[in-house]
Amino acid sequence: AQSVTQPDIHITVSEGASLELRCNYSYGATPYLFWYVQSPGQGLQLLLKYFSGDTLVQGIKGFEAEFKRSQSSFNLRKPSVHWSDAAEYFCAVGGRGGADGLTFGKGTHLIIQP
Amino acid sequence: DVKVTQSSRYLVKRTGEKVFLECVQDMDHENMFWYRQDPGLGLRLIYFSYDVKMKEKGDIPEGYSVSREKKERFSLILESASTNQTSMYLCASSFSHSGNNEQFFGPGTRLTVL
């Protein structure tokens, strides 16, 4: 069965500092990987996705993520965070079929210190 | 832009009531999904549908049913609401063809069962 682990429940980062959110997955085939962000009281917004090709993917809002097959990881990074990045971040894994549901991690709550 | 709308942002119901949560998408997506989101548990898939009148159980279908009479509309039904169904409910939709199973989310319905 597929699964996603986000080991950090909460992370606190100073504004302007770099950020890395960890994601490890378990999937039997080549995975499709996603990072979503949820601002307070809102639905989920897609930050970026990996389907194939270049293992470093660029997303919106200055985020990027790197797929490392050997480590079963898909960590999210940003070189300099802004106060508006404070939110809940979810990593998800899915299969090739469009009808397949996604399996989500439990989320990482990002707090930005001034 | 893809738009997924949910009928209510906030809903308060009493134990034993029948509850309908409605979701509509405007992008002609084949697949639609219902998740519930609880603190510390992330998103858990309740039901999904890959076509009109088709439905599949997700990870936690107990106590819920769904209806999809039209392609753009997917309803979640709580036959007899209980307090442990107090949660945030998120609807999502996606295309069906292989290679693109990105899900688009609605803003969520926060349901409180008293």
Side-chain angles (χ1 to χ4, degrees):
Chain A
Q2 59 200 52
S3 65
V4 176
T5 301
Q6 293 180 247
D8 304 305
I9 299 173
H10 300 278
I11 281 189
T12 301
V13 178
S14 297
E15 190 169 15
S18 63
L19 171 71
E20 183 170 34
L21 302 182
R22 295 182 291 165
C23 172
N24 292 98
Y25 68 89
S26 173
Y27 193 76
T30 301
Y32 288 3
L33 295 159
F34 305 83
W35 274 100
Y36 284 86
V37 62
Q38 184 181 36
S39 298
Q42 303 298 314
L44 273 67
Q45 180 184 20
L46 181 71
L47 283 176
L48 47 78
K49 58 190 177 186
Y50 170 78
F51 286 167
S52 63
D54 193 347
T55 56
L56 184 64
V57 295
Q58 303 296 323
I60 62 171
K61 305 184 180 187
F63 285 92
E64 66 178 25
E66 186 171 11
F67 170 57
K68 293 186 178 180
R69 185 187 301 275
S70 61
Q71 299 177 19
S72 298
S73 69
F74 189 56
N75 294 349
L76 182 71
R77 301 193 293 248
K78 186 170 185 178
S80 177
V81 298
H82 186 262
W83 64 266
S84 60
D85 293 324
E88 192 85 16
Y89 291 79
F90 293 95
C91 181
V93 65
R96 286 192 170 272
D100 291 348
L102 296 181
T103 297
F104 286 82
K106 294 183 179 179
T108 296
H109 184 59
L110 177 63
I111 300 166
I112 306 296
Q113 280 184 337
Chain B
D1 280 353
V2 175
K3 194 164 187 183
V4 180
T5 57
Q6 296 183 228
S7 51
S8 306
R9 293 299 302 272
Y10 300 93
L11 209 52
V12 180
K13 295 292 182 180
R14 297 207 175 272
T15 302
E17 280 193 75
K18 189 169 186 176
V19 182
F20 292 87
L21 302 183
E22 306 286 340
C23 175
V24 177
Q25 50 93 7
D26 66 359
M27 277 300 291
D28 203 33
H29 284 170
E30 293 84 1
N31 307 315
M32 297 188 75
F33 306 84
W34 276 107
Y35 295 88
R36 66 176 281 175
Q37 181 182 11
D38 301 287
L41 297 178
L43 277 74
R44 293 179 291 168
L45 183 63
I46 304 171
Y47 267 98
F48 66 99
S49 168
Y50 54 88
D51 201 351
V52 175
K53 296 192 185 296
M54 304 304 290
K55 60 183 179 183
E56 294 285 342
K57 292 180 179 179
D59 299 320
I60 52 164
E62 296 78 19
Y64 303 94
S65 62
V66 291
S67 172
R68 194 165 180 202
E69 296 297 319
K70 293 185 177 181
K71 189 175 185 179
E72 67 272 18
R73 188 179 298 270
F74 191 36
S75 303
L76 180 69
I77 304 158
L78 286 67
E79 294 289 343
S80 178
S82 63
T83 55
N84 62 13
Q85 293 178 309
T86 291
S87 186
M88 170 73 93
Y89 290 88
L90 293 166
C91 175
S93 68
S94 71
F95 285 112
S96 191
H97 59 82
S98 177
N100 185 6
N101 59 351
E102 173 188 346
Q103 293 187 14
F104 296 85
F105 283 83
T109 296
R110 187 166 293 281
L111 172 66
T112 301
V113 182
L114 303 175

